[in-house]
Amino acid sequence: TPKTTCSRFESRFSRMNRVRARGNGRERAGVEWTPESPRATCLLLHGFMDAAERFDLVAPALAASGLRVIAPDLRGFGDSDRVRGGGYYHFPDYVADVDALVREPCFVVGHSMGGTVATLYAGARPERVKRLAVLEGVGPIDHRAEDAPLRMAKWLDDLGKKLDAPPMTEEDAMRRLAAAHPRVPREVLASRLPLLARRADDGWTWRYDPLHKTTSPMPFFADVFRAFAARAACPVLYVSGGALGWRVPDEAARLAAFAHVTHVDLPDAGHMMHWTAPAALADALIAFFAAND
């Protein structure tokens, strides 16, 4: 089977295959779906407290359309390495990890936090992104400069707490998932649980570094995000999840910073659209990427 070279992940499997790559000083895990004769490569970047395998309801359709689909676990999530020795997780770290993977221009899709990472990458490396799809991922609420000292203080307080949680029962884990995603059907959450948590003899533990539960010390500034968006030279697709989705008040201004943006709304999908409306999402992405041909 021919191999493309957009990513340093190497695999020749046409089904979903777990893959690993080393770059930027640490080991990263991921999953890949590859058709027999891929016409292009698509990189999927997951959101906060998510993992690569949870694109499993969308990626097979993208692969069937002729795309080699690669989804990495971002640092500190899933099976990728966690930071050590006083390190932390900042947006530039995720962007650097993406840059360490990408070798040539490809399609990039980012959900939630992954959409912000994808936009920052497209602004920093516009020549590397052929088309960008952002799934409710234009960043968190805009902060003020005066928020910075308070966030830093909260972060320092968080670092002094015990972050590791004891193992949970399966029902406990399901309750926490349901509390975090109250509008997602329970059967969908049940299918996601094994991709988000590990089961051992003493119970379930989440597949993310507990350090992610701390308050980030760095404020998010929308004007900085808009500056990166303005440098993304490629066509952009923004997908929202309707009234149940997660939208920032200044969403329109952030989207207006992109030079070439199309907006598709999935009315009943909500924020976790790759779980709740995977077929509709895949159709929107396939049509968007096919327009490049």
Side-chain angles (χ1 to χ4, degrees):
T1 301
K3 290 193 295 181
T4 56
T5 57
C6 170
S7 168
R8 293 190 174 92
F9 283 127
E10 298 295 343
S11 175
R12 302 188 182 203
F13 290 82
S14 57
R15 59 182 174 79
M16 186 184 87
N17 185 51
R18 289 178 176 82
V19 288
R20 298 193 70 83
R22 186 162 187 84
N24 204 20
R26 52 185 34 88
E27 189 87 5
R28 279 183 301 278
V31 288
E32 176 184 348
W33 296 259
T34 304
E36 288 192 3
S37 300
R39 61 181 175 84
T41 300
C42 178
L43 188 68
L44 304 181
L45 303 178
H46 65 78
F48 188 63
M49 299 303 192
D50 209 338
E53 288 182 57
R54 293 207 301 184
F55 282 115
D56 62 337
L57 304 179
V58 176
L62 300 182
S65 75
L67 297 175
R68 180 192 186 204
V69 182
I70 299 167
D73 283 326
L74 296 175
R75 61 169 62 194
F77 294 106
D79 293 324
S80 284
D81 281 355
R82 301 177 178 185
V83 298
R84 303 293 182 191
Y88 197 65
Y89 300 97
H90 300 288
F91 275 117
D93 297 318
Y94 299 126
V95 174
D97 287 346
V98 172
D99 192 55
L101 294 176
V102 175
R103 288 181 170 177
E104 63 184 36
C106 59
F107 301 137
V108 180
V109 179
H111 172 250
S112 196
M113 183 191 80
T116 306
V117 174
T119 300
L120 298 179
Y121 183 69
R125 298 278 200 226
E127 72 283 359
R128 296 284 185 90
V129 183
K130 294 163 64 175
R131 286 194 166 229
L132 171 65
V134 177
L135 318 179
E136 287 197 344
V138 292
I141 299 295
D142 192 17
H143 292 139
R144 305 167 302 165
E146 52 266 36
D147 295 331
L150 298 178
R151 292 188 68 86
M152 186 74 76
K154 179 65 166 61
W155 176 65
L156 294 173
D157 291 341
D158 288 347
L159 291 179
K161 299 175 182 176
K162 179 177 173 54
L163 299 174
D164 287 310
M168 308 165 285
T169 65
E170 182 172 351
E171 188 53 41
D172 229 13
M174 283 296 298
R175 274 198 298 269
R176 296 187 193 189
L177 269 185
H181 307 289
R183 297 184 179 94
V184 177
R186 184 177 175 86
E187 63 270 18
V188 175
L189 294 178
S191 74
R192 307 295 84 194
L193 179 60
L195 307 179
L196 282 173
R198 297 184 182 91
R199 180 166 53 185
D201 293 339
D202 57 348
W204 292 75
T205 56
W206 299 115
R207 292 172 58 196
Y208 60 75
D209 187 343
L211 194 59
H212 286 299
K213 294 189 293 187
T214 62
T215 299
S216 171
M218 302 304 297
F220 180 89
F221 297 122
D223 56 346
V224 174
F225 176 88
R226 291 194 300 269
F228 278 88
R231 290 196 78 241
C234 62
V236 176
L237 173 68
Y238 181 68
V239 184
S240 55
L244 301 180
W246 191 85
R247 318 283 284 275
V248 291
D250 58 334
E251 175 186 85
R254 299 188 195 189
L255 292 178
F258 291 110
H260 314 284
V261 65
T262 301
H263 184 184
V264 170
D265 188 62
L266 305 180
D268 301 315
H271 186 58
M272 306 307 284
M273 59 188 74
H274 54 313
W275 302 356
T276 58
L281 175 58
D283 287 346
L285 293 174
I286 289 168
F288 176 61
F289 294 140
N292 185 69
D293 296 338

